[in-house]
Amino acid sequence: MVVNKLTLMKGVTCVSFLCINIISFLLGDVGITGIARTAILMGVCYLPLLYSILKAPRSFPTDAIILAVFILGLFFLSELMHPELSDLIKEGISNSILSLYGIIAAYLFFRTICDKYIVRKALLVSACIYFVFYSYQAIISLSRGYWEEVGFGGVLQQQSYSMSFGYNMLFPTIIFLAFGLNEKNKIFTVVGAIGIVELLLGGSRAALLSVIVFLGLYWIVFYFSKLSYKQKALSLVLLVIAACAVLFFYNPILNGIASLLNQLGIDSRNLDKLLSASMTDDMNRALLYEKSGALISSGGLFGHGIYADRLSLGNYCHNIFLELFIDFGYFGGALVAVYIGIVIYRSLFKYKDSNWKMIFLIMISSCFTRLLVSYSLWLDVKLWIAFAIYMNMKKERMQNSRIQR
């Protein structure tokens, strides 16, 4: 099959942006650093994007500019109302908001490349790259018995499991499971299952929960509507029971898996350490949430301003909704939270195109559980890619409505 140059460039754009961290690592591994590495990274990402825009200028999404102006306006308003946040806001704008590989760039890339078939293929190519690269890391780390993670202050630490590995391996795992289940592709499904095993052996708890969330949402979105009323009622009851079982019996379930792995001759020391580490993580997170609640109460209707959690807690508050209410208060936080809920509902249940639904489900499943227990709204590019996918779905629906008239 002959692929035209524009389609190829759009595909390269998607893959290069999704895999930019891997490309950067590999360049550094062969000795290409500094300006040379920056030039190559910008070349592989932005030259294909520029070609795509110049070749089809009408495809340039003006809403990306509107979004950038709106977000910057929020940041500058926060700085004006809360001068104590000035340094944090300037750093955040530079390192995340207007970064060449940050959230606005993520939105721009996937709004420009608004062809669902190109995005689908790019996801599969990216998944292959992710899977090979991080599986190799897993083999090395599991063989030596520990993971190397960059901790506070840039210090390299030895840990029993890797949170970053978990979220990085989660992405290809969900992609392979999604297309494997949807297209009844046994190879994709098996590779996805291997990814789950790797998450068990070296990933974090939230990454494992993200897979469960994805499988539950996948079943609801693509199969639930086909059931009879009685089947739906029974399925909902079973789903609630299963969710509660996972929530309350997480540690016993993992203990059982660890015992099974030991019987099969597979070293589960990392899984055992993950279990013990989970208790400490829960206590630290509970304390963080308690302090976040106090901040929300004192913030009133309009909050303390963007990055207020960083200033008061020393870090982001590890929950997207707490972050919203700390930043924007009861009023603004509720508005944004409702909007996010509307985006997710419409993308998964209102819009009918199964290809876009699957792509959105992959993106939101890859990031949302993490955002509930860790990370930040202003850092997670996959969330902003999901927003871009939503806008692509909305635009295509509007175009189809005009044609039908």
Side-chain angles (χ1 to χ4, degrees):
M1 183 177 66
V2 178
V3 179
N4 66 58
K5 193 172 182 180
L6 179 59
T7 299
L8 178 62
M9 288 296 102
K10 287 183 176 183
V12 170
T13 297
C14 285
V15 173
S16 60
F17 186 85
L18 289 170
C19 300
I20 195 65
N21 290 331
I22 296 175
I23 298 171
S24 178
F25 179 89
L26 293 175
L27 289 174
D29 210 36
V30 297
I32 302 175
T33 58
I35 296 176
R37 176 163 61 178
T38 301
I40 293 173
L41 292 176
M42 289 186 64
V44 298
C45 265
Y46 280 90
L47 287 180
L49 178 68
L50 182 61
Y51 176 88
S52 301
I53 293 173
L54 292 176
K55 197 72 176 177
R58 290 186 178 180
S59 68
F60 182 80
T62 54
D63 54 284
I65 303 298
I66 295 171
L67 178 66
V69 171
F70 178 72
I71 290 176
L72 289 174
L74 288 178
F75 271 71
F76 289 134
L77 182 61
S78 285
E79 185 177 12
L80 181 66
M81 300 296 293
H82 306 279
E84 69 276 10
L85 298 173
S86 179
D87 290 341
L88 286 169
I89 285 174
K90 288 174 182 175
E91 182 182 352
I93 290 174
S94 174
N95 295 338
S96 175
I97 307 305
L98 294 184
S99 165
L100 291 172
Y101 314 105
I103 63 172
I104 297 298
Y107 185 88
L108 171 64
F109 271 71
F110 282 84
R111 277 291 288 121
T112 303
I113 316 304
C114 55
D115 186 318
K116 57 196 169 191
Y117 300 109
I118 293 175
V119 176
R120 176 195 174 279
K121 291 178 181 177
L123 284 176
L124 284 171
V125 172
S126 300
C128 292
I129 296 170
Y130 265 74
F131 189 83
V132 172
F133 181 80
Y134 289 107
S135 291
Y136 177 71
Q137 283 195 349
I139 291 170
I140 293 175
S141 298
L142 292 173
S143 63
R144 70 188 174 200
Y146 62 87
W147 296 80
E148 291 184 341
E149 289 272 282
V150 178
F152 185 76
V155 178
L156 198 63
Q157 300 176 341
Q158 294 181 3
Q159 297 185 348
S160 58
Y161 67 97
S162 170
M163 187 172 291
S164 61
F165 167 78
Y167 291 122
N168 284 318
M169 180 53 74
L170 171 67
F171 187 51
T173 298
I174 286 180
I175 292 172
F176 283 124
L177 287 174
F179 291 117
L181 294 172
N182 194 52
E183 300 172 5
K184 296 180 173 57
N185 187 309
K186 293 180 181 178
I187 295 176
F188 287 169
T189 306
V190 168
V191 175
I194 293 171
I196 293 176
V197 173
E198 293 191 39
L199 290 176
L200 281 169
L201 295 176
S204 63
R205 176 170 58 171
L208 288 170
L209 291 176
S210 295
V211 175
I212 296 171
V213 168
F214 160 75
L215 292 173
L217 284 174
Y218 175 86
W219 181 81
I220 292 171
V221 171
F222 291 99
Y223 288 99
F224 186 73
S225 61
K226 301 175 184 178
L227 301 177
S228 67
Y229 177 78
K230 289 183 179 180
Q231 289 174 324
K232 286 180 179 179
L234 178 61
S235 298
L236 284 175
V237 171
L238 293 175
L239 192 62
V240 170
I241 292 173
C244 292
V246 171
L247 183 63
F248 292 107
F249 301 103
Y250 172 81
N251 283 1
I253 290 171
L254 285 192
N255 276 319
I257 295 172
S259 176
L260 176 61
L261 291 174
N262 285 326
Q263 292 177 17
L264 295 174
I266 300 173
D267 185 3
S268 64
R269 285 177 300 171
N270 292 307
L271 189 56
D272 296 332
K273 291 176 182 177
L274 174 61
L275 281 164
S276 60
S278 295
M279 297 176 63
T280 304
D281 291 343
D282 287 343
M283 288 188 289
N284 291 337
R285 191 171 288 111
L287 181 60
L288 191 63
Y289 289 173
E290 183 180 344
K291 293 179 179 178
S292 298
L295 267 179
I296 292 170
S297 297
S298 63
L301 279 178
F302 302 104
H304 294 282
I306 296 172
Y307 290 157
D309 54 343
R310 274 77 156 170
L311 181 65
S312 300
L313 306 176
N315 200 347
Y316 44 79
C317 61
H318 288 63
N319 180 284
I320 184 174
F321 295 112
L322 292 178
E323 182 176 26
L324 288 173
F325 285 104
I326 290 172
D327 288 2
F328 303 118
Y330 292 116
F331 180 73
L335 283 180
V336 180
V338 168
Y339 176 75
I340 292 173
I342 290 171
V343 167
I344 294 174
Y345 172 77
R346 286 182 174 176
S347 299
L348 295 180
F349 300 105
K350 183 176 180 181
Y351 297 143
K352 303 301 181 184
D353 189 286
S354 60
N355 290 291
W356 277 131
K357 272 188 182 183
M358 185 63 71
I359 293 168
F360 182 88
L361 179 58
I362 288 169
M363 287 300 172
I364 205 68
S365 299
S366 298
C367 70
F368 207 74
T369 301
R370 182 185 191 182
L371 285 167
L372 290 175
V373 297
S374 181
Y375 222 41
S376 166
L377 164 74
W378 305 112
L379 294 173
D380 201 320
V381 296
K382 290 185 178 67
L383 176 66
W384 294 85
I385 291 174
F387 288 149
I389 299 303
Y390 166 73
M391 291 302 294
N392 290 340
M393 298 169 76
K394 190 175 179 181
K395 178 183 176 182
E396 184 175 288
R397 187 169 182 262
M398 291 173 63
Q399 289 175 337
N400 291 338
S401 297
R402 291 193 196 103
I403 292 172
Q404 289 173 2
R405 289 175 191 170

